[in-house]
């Protein structure tokens, strides 16, 4: 379902839970809602919810560049509540994101994934993403350098 204002607190909670694993992002603390909102395009924000309306996970995209030539290229994020991992929530969210972005003319979804995040790498592979390459020692995460596996999915 489209992300709604009542989902914001849960979206940030799930994001922080992912960050707390140490294998989701170079970020270590979720921003406040204004910061998160400013970085993610409103038209492509999705939540998976349970029967009681609780958020199980979310997916969203961000611009790669403001240059017109990159208008159809977006970086995406998918985060699943720890209690819902392994339930297919991530796949449903990623499939919905692919559908909505392709319908809007986005031809490339891309993301960087730490190699240790094997569940995310498997999810992306099953959803039709390909590994473009590994960006070695791309950035420091705490006290260590981290590699990032660069994945992308091109619209047909």
């Amino acid at each position: 379902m489209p992300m709604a204002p009542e989902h914001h607190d849960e979206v940030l909670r799930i994001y922080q839970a992912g960050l707390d694993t140490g294998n989701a992002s170079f970020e270590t603390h979720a921003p406040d809602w204004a910061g998160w909102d400013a970085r993610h395009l409103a038209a492509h924000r999705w939540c998976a919810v349970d029967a009681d309306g609780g958020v199980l996970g979310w997916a969203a995209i961000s611009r790669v560049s403001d240059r017109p030539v990159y208008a159809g290229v977006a970086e995406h994020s998918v985060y699943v509540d720890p209690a819902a991992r392994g339930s297919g929530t991530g796949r449903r969210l990623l499939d919905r994101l692919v559908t909505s972005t392709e319908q809007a003319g986005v031809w490339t979804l891309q993301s960087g994934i730490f190699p240790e995040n094997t569940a995310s790498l498997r999810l992306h592979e099953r959803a039709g993403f390909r590994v473009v390459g590994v960006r070695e020692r791309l950035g420091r995460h705490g006290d260590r350098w981290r590699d990032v596996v660069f994945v992308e999915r091109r619209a047909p």
Side-chain angles (χ1 to χ4, degrees):
M1 76 181 325
M3 192 178 292
E6 61 267 19
H7 300 138
H8 298 170
D9 289 343
E10 287 295 289
V11 165
L12 294 178
R13 180 191 61 75
I14 291 168
Y15 186 32
Q16 186 62 56
L19 299 178
D20 288 346
T21 69
N23 286 325
S25 172
F26 282 105
E27 301 293 330
T28 56
H29 294 85
D32 62 13
W33 182 254
W36 191 98
D37 184 48
R39 290 195 312 232
H40 295 87
L41 299 177
H44 303 285
R45 298 175 181 182
W46 303 100
C47 282
V49 297
D50 62 20
D52 298 322
V55 178
L56 301 172
W58 60 268
I61 65 170
S62 302
R63 291 188 196 285
V64 169
S65 173
D66 289 333
R67 295 176 59 196
V69 69
Y70 295 111
V73 181
E75 183 164 351
H76 73 283
S77 298
V78 178
Y79 283 80
V80 176
D81 186 290
R85 291 183 187 147
S87 67
T89 298
R91 179 61 190 267
R92 288 189 300 277
L93 285 164
L94 194 51
D95 288 348
R96 183 64 187 107
L97 189 64
V98 166
T99 299
S100 75
T101 55
E102 286 184 0
Q103 289 173 346
V106 174
W107 60 81
T108 300
L109 286 179
Q110 66 184 38
S111 191
I113 303 169
F114 289 140
E116 297 84 0
N117 194 343
T118 57
S120 185
L121 289 169
R122 282 192 310 272
L123 166 68
H124 283 83
E125 180 182 9
R126 288 191 304 263
F129 285 75
R130 71 181 182 102
V131 172
V132 177
V134 176
R135 301 177 78 187
E136 295 177 358
R137 295 174 45 97
L138 182 63
R140 290 186 64 80
H141 187 230
D143 61 352
R144 67 182 176 134
W145 287 96
R146 300 291 297 264
D147 295 348
V148 173
V149 179
F150 189 67
V151 298
E152 73 174 11
R153 184 181 191 288
R154 297 284 178 101

